[in-house]
Amino acid sequence: MHRLSQTELSRTPPAPIYIAHRGLSARFPENTMAAFEAAMAAGAAMIELDVTFSRDRRLAVIHDERVNRTTNGRGPVSAHTMKQLQRLDAGSWFDPAFAGQAIPELADVLDLVNGRIAVNIEIKPEAYESSSRDDAVERQILDLLAERNMLDDAIISSFAWWSLARVRSLSPAVAIGLLSARPADEHLLFWYRRLGGFSWHPDWRVVTAAQVALLHTAGARVFPFIAAGRIDSARLLAMGVDGLIVDDPSQMAAHQWS
């Protein structure tokens, strides 16, 4: 399996890798066990997933702040206990064939993928808390990874860079990815250096060849992510990006515009 420790930064990057955005989410309901299993079967090098708190401070794997879009429930994720979340149907909204798929808990996803594939864990901004707690989201994630000997097989990413600062304060070596919807600039580079980052995860629409070169000079991997189901793979691959965070492996093809 591809290892992601900080020493990897000095090595020659591999060919651009397929990172499965919320699993194989073009064909399976996003952020479900079915989507993650399918991504592994399709040859992904890494799965990307989202985590936030349930009401009882467990780590739910779901993208939105509310359950409305991807389940048969309603209301904020944080208003439901983990058991309540797991009783919701997280598959039928995508296709009736996936009825009964549940919102996973992060621990269960890590058990599924451990030893088989790397994982990119995105901390949702609403899970960040300015005061550090023993059960803070950052501590919980690191503890779960350490328990499974997966610290070298994970990237922890977020748009909430203060959350990533806490991750770094707790772990000197885990790979950190800075998510961004804006082009790379000195502000991003400042934070990348401050965090001892591993990678930049930009909205593909803001990426330029000059920015890719700049981040590579800083030692960073560049993993653009798909937006609204669309990505210009040919343009990005020509820039020398290190991988693409996409909904479907077909979107890795150089001719793909979807």
Side-chain angles (χ1 to χ4, degrees), residues 41-61:
M46 187 186 308
I47 61 167
E48 185 268 354
L49 56 83
D50 309 276
V51 296
T52 193
F53 275 131
S54 65
R55 192 176 76 198
D56 50 349
R57 298 185 65 80
R58 300 182 75 91
L59 299 185
V61 178

Side-chain angles (χ1 to χ4, degrees), residues 16-82:
I17 62 172
Y18 160 41
I19 303 171
H21 185 233
R22 308 175 200 169
L24 208 171
S25 56
R27 308 181 202 172
F28 295 81
E30 66 181 60
N31 277 327
T32 62
M33 292 298 209
F36 300 139
E37 283 278 17
M40 289 187 284
M46 187 186 308
I47 61 167
E48 185 268 354
L49 56 83
D50 309 276
V51 296
T52 193
F53 275 131
S54 65
R55 192 176 76 198
D56 50 349
R57 298 185 65 80
R58 300 182 75 91
L59 299 185
V61 178
I62 184 171
H63 177 269
D64 297 359
E65 288 189 60
R66 302 176 69 84
V67 301
N68 302 42
R69 180 177 65 86
T70 58
T71 80
N72 62 342
R74 298 191 65 80
V77 176
S78 60
H80 299 72
T81 66
M82 196 66 227

Side-chain angles (χ1 to χ4, degrees), residues 51 53 59 123 127-129 135-142 163:
V51 296
F53 275 131
L59 299 185
I123 299 173
Y128 171 69
E129 298 163 310
D135 63 348
V137 62
E138 301 88 0
R139 290 180 185 274
Q140 288 200 45
I141 291 170
L142 290 168
S163 185

Side-chain angles (χ1 to χ4, degrees), residues 4-5 141-142 145-146 148-154 171 173-175:
L4 296 168
S5 64
I141 291 170
L142 290 168
L145 291 171
R148 292 158 177 79
N149 194 30
M150 289 182 67
L151 286 169
D152 284 346
D153 302 320
S171 174
V174 71

